[in-house]
Amino acid sequence: MSVFGALNRFISRLDSESPAQKNRVGHGAFGFQVLRNKNHEIPMEPWYDFVVGINGRQIDDPDPNLFATEVRNCAGSTVALTLWNAKGQRLRDLHIPVPTPSPTLGVTLQWTALATTDDVWHVLDVIPDSPADIAGLLPYGDYIIGTPEGLVHGESGLGELVEDYLSRPLRLYVYNHEYAVTRLVTITPSRSWGGNGALGCVLGFGALHHLPLPLTEPPAAPGETLFETTRLSSDVARPLSSSSHPPVASYPPVQSSDLLVPAAMSVPPPLPSSPAPPRQARKSRHIASPNRAFDEYFNEFEQKSKEEDFVPKAKATPPPPPPKLDAATHLPPPPVSTGEPEQSKSPEPELID
C-alpha cells in the first residue's frame, strides 16, 4: 500500500504543477475559496477557484481583514490576484479593477485547504435501470463533488452518506467536464432495485480521478455533423447527362505562361559517321544451377557403382551371340547306362629310357 500511496502523491504533485508557475502551491496549501460571486464581471467560479496570492505575494495569513485592507488600498486601480482552480489544478493571474466609491470585489470567500477539492468521485459506469441511471448520472463525464446535506471527507465519506439516506432522496452536486457545467442531482439510494450497490454505479476515487481541465469545445450531439466540408470556388456543380455514357469533364485551356519552359540547352554537334565496329560473338553464359553440387555428387557415386558392378557402357558394342547349330550337325548321344559300375582303368605306366 505504501507504493500506491507514494504513486498517488507523485501524480497529484505533477497534476498540481503549472508549466509557468511550479512549486508555488504545496500539497498542504490553503487559500480563500470562492463561495459566492455576485459580480458577474469577475471570472471567478464558486467552489472551484481559490485565491492564493495577491499583488504578487502568496497569502499565508487566514485573517480576512488583511485581505480586505489590501483590496481597499488598490481603490481606483487594479488588484492582481493569483487563483488556483480545481479543474486541472492550475494557477492563473487575474487583474480586477477596484472602484473608488465602494472598494469591494463582490465575492464571498472562506479560508479553506486546497485538498478539500480532492474529495471527488468519478462516475465510471452506470448500470441500466439503477438509481444512478434514473437520476441521470453520465458515465465517465460526471464527477460528484459534494452535497448540500453536509461536508463529505475521505473515500468512505460518500458511502457513509448514502447509507444514511437509504430509500430517501439525496441531493448531490455533480460536475460534467465535457460540458463544463455543475448541476444538482437528486438520487434515491436503494438496496432493492435489483442490482449491486445502493446507487448502481461504479465510482473512482484518488489522484487518478481528480477534476480534469474542461474541454475547449463541447462534444457533438447525436446526429450532429462533426466535420463540415467546404466547397472550393473552382468546384462548379455540373448537371448529370441523360445519356448512358459518363459525362466528360471539360477543362479550361491552359495558358502558355502556366507551363514550365525549359532552359535553352546547347546541344553538341553530331559525331561524324564511321563504320560500326564488328560485333563480337556473344559468349555463351553458363548459368549455375542451385542443385549443381548435388548433381555432381550423385553422378560421381553412380559412376563408381557402375564400375564396381561391371555395367557395360551404353556406347560399347554388345558381345556376339553364340553360334547356331546346323541341321546336319548332330550331337553324339549320351552313353547308355548298363547298370554295372564301370571300372576305371588305371593308366599304363610309361617306361622311361
Side-chain angles (χ1 to χ4, degrees), residues 304-313:
K304 290 182 179 181
S305 177
K306 289 181 180 180
E307 293 176 356
E308 292 177 358
D309 296 342
F310 302 100
V311 177
K313 297 182 179 179

Side-chain angles (χ1 to χ4, degrees), residues 84-315:
W84 182 87
N85 192 276
K87 300 175 184 177
Q89 298 80 43
R90 295 294 186 264
L91 293 171
R92 73 181 191 275
D93 292 329
L94 185 63
H95 298 272
I96 305 174
V98 181
T100 303
S102 177
T104 60
L105 300 179
V107 295
T108 304
L109 306 176
Q110 180 182 1
W111 184 258
T112 313
L114 274 61
T116 56
T117 59
D118 295 342
D119 296 327
V120 296
W121 290 263
H122 187 192
V123 181
L124 301 177
D125 192 14
V126 176
I127 303 175
D129 299 330
S130 63
D133 186 24
I134 297 174
L137 292 181
L138 302 177
Y140 189 74
D142 279 348
Y143 291 80
I144 301 175
I145 61 175
T147 173
E149 314 301 342
L151 297 178
V152 182
H153 297 288
E155 184 176 2
S156 61
L158 182 61
E160 297 173 357
L161 180 65
V162 169
E163 291 293 336
D164 295 338
Y165 278 84
L166 285 176
S167 302
R168 292 191 301 161
L170 174 62
R171 295 178 300 172
L172 299 174
Y173 289 121
V174 178
Y175 166 74
N176 186 277
H177 85 98
E178 295 178 353
Y179 295 93
V181 295
T182 304
R183 66 189 189 276
L184 185 63
V185 175
T186 302
I187 186 173
T188 304
S190 176
R191 294 288 185 184
S192 59
W193 64 273
N196 296 329
L199 299 180
C201 62
V202 180
L203 301 177
F205 185 88
L208 299 178
H209 303 283
H210 286 170
L211 294 179
L213 290 171
L215 301 178
T216 56
E217 295 181 2
E224 185 177 355
T225 303
L226 294 179
F227 303 98
E228 181 180 0
T229 57
T230 58
R231 175 174 293 181
L232 300 177
S233 59
S234 60
D235 295 341
V236 180
R238 299 183 178 89
L240 297 177
S241 176
S242 58
S243 61
S244 59
H245 299 284
V248 179
S250 60
Y251 297 95
V254 181
Q255 302 295 334
S256 60
S257 60
D258 297 336
L259 299 177
L260 295 177
V261 180
M265 301 176 62
S266 59
V267 181
L271 298 177
S273 60
S274 59
R279 300 180 60 183
Q280 298 179 357
R282 180 177 298 178
K283 298 181 180 180
S284 60
R285 300 176 60 186
H286 179 71
I287 302 176
S289 174
N291 299 327
R292 181 178 179 182
F294 291 97
D295 295 341
E296 294 178 354
Y297 178 78
F298 286 115
N299 291 337
E300 180 181 358
F301 276 88
E302 183 181 2
Q303 182 66 23
K304 290 182 179 181
S305 177
K306 289 181 180 180
E307 293 176 356
E308 292 177 358
D309 296 342
F310 302 100
V311 177
K313 297 182 179 179
K315 296 183 179 180

